[in-house]
Amino acid sequence: MSTAPDHLLPLIRRARDAPVRPPPAPWQRRAVHSVGGLTDAGFGRGTDLLLVISSDGRGVFDCLTGLRVARDASMPDRGEADWQDTRELGATGIGPLLGQTIRTSGLSGGGLPSTTADRWTAERLTLDWPDELLLLVPPGSWLHETRAGRSADFTKLAVEREVRAWGFSPTGKSLILATSSDVAIFGRSS
């Protein structure tokens, strides 16, 4: 059994001991939607529209409002062109994303942006597998230690298993957490 290096022990203790809390201002939890069999998620280019893929088809959520705006439960028939490419990590959009290829994050790999233009950061730590700690770090902070001019501030938003996607929209106004069973949407107006 390996032990963490001494310089990481303060971070590990702080992350484990921190309570799960609501996001700090200006972030708010917009919605949580049950999506059984969720496999992948991805944002439309330059938008806050999230395509979610599950074993029951596709859905689109407007992360600015937290509402589902489109749903297609159909799956490709045998011999038809598939609407998801798990090697190139893309899927064909529906509803307001119709005709677009959406880059996805999920079971086959990929990832969402982990930092916004104004330096909010989404961190994902696995200290006690299979549990994953999902942290939101404000601008100017750094997880590892306090240095002059930098705090070691963060908010633990969740402890989850089977995380499919965790990160920001291209605009930086939305943050999502997609697991195998649901999608949590966080947002901010500025």
Side-chain angles (χ1 to χ4, degrees):
M1 180 168 168
S2 65
T3 315
D6 288 344
H7 72 281
L8 292 180
L9 293 178
L11 166 63
I12 291 169
R13 276 193 293 276
R14 283 187 309 110
R16 280 187 178 138
D17 293 346
V20 172
R21 296 183 300 174
W27 294 94
Q28 298 175 343
R29 180 180 228 148
R30 298 256 193 251
V32 177
H33 295 275
S34 294
V35 183
L38 192 152
T39 60
D40 302 271
F43 284 98
R45 279 203 178 126
T47 76
D48 289 276
L49 295 172
L50 179 71
L51 178 70
V52 174
I53 301 168
S54 74
S55 56
D56 291 326
R58 297 169 285 179
V60 175
F61 296 89
D62 180 342
C63 293
L64 296 178
T65 64
L67 299 174
R68 182 171 59 192
V69 295
R71 175 82 174 102
D72 181 1
S74 67
M75 301 298 278
D77 290 328
R78 184 169 287 188
E80 285 186 334
D82 199 358
W83 43 256
Q84 183 178 20
D85 184 342
T86 56
R87 294 180 59 93
E88 295 289 328
L89 305 176
T92 303
I94 60 167
L97 297 174
L98 187 65
Q100 298 179 38
T101 299
I102 308 301
R103 303 267 313 147
T104 58
S105 172
L107 283 179
S108 298
L112 298 175
S114 61
T115 305
T116 65
D118 60 347
R119 309 313 291 165
W120 284 91
T121 304
E123 297 280 355
R124 184 174 171 177
L125 300 178
T126 306
L127 302 177
D128 301 301
W129 187 87
D131 293 334
E132 295 186 64
L133 308 180
L134 302 156
L135 312 176
L136 180 60
V137 182
S141 290
W142 193 49
L143 280 182
H144 298 283
E145 64 185 69
T146 303
R147 291 187 177 178
R150 290 182 104 171
S151 70
D153 188 27
F154 65 86
T155 301
K156 187 191 304 184
L157 291 183
V159 178
E160 293 287 348
R161 295 180 177 187
E162 298 189 45
V163 174
R164 303 294 190 245
W166 166 245
F168 297 103
S169 64
T171 69
K173 291 183 178 180
S174 301
L175 172 65
I176 64 106
L177 165 57
T179 68
S180 62
S181 61
D182 56 41
V183 60
I185 300 169
F186 302 90
R188 62 182 176 147
S189 56
S190 60

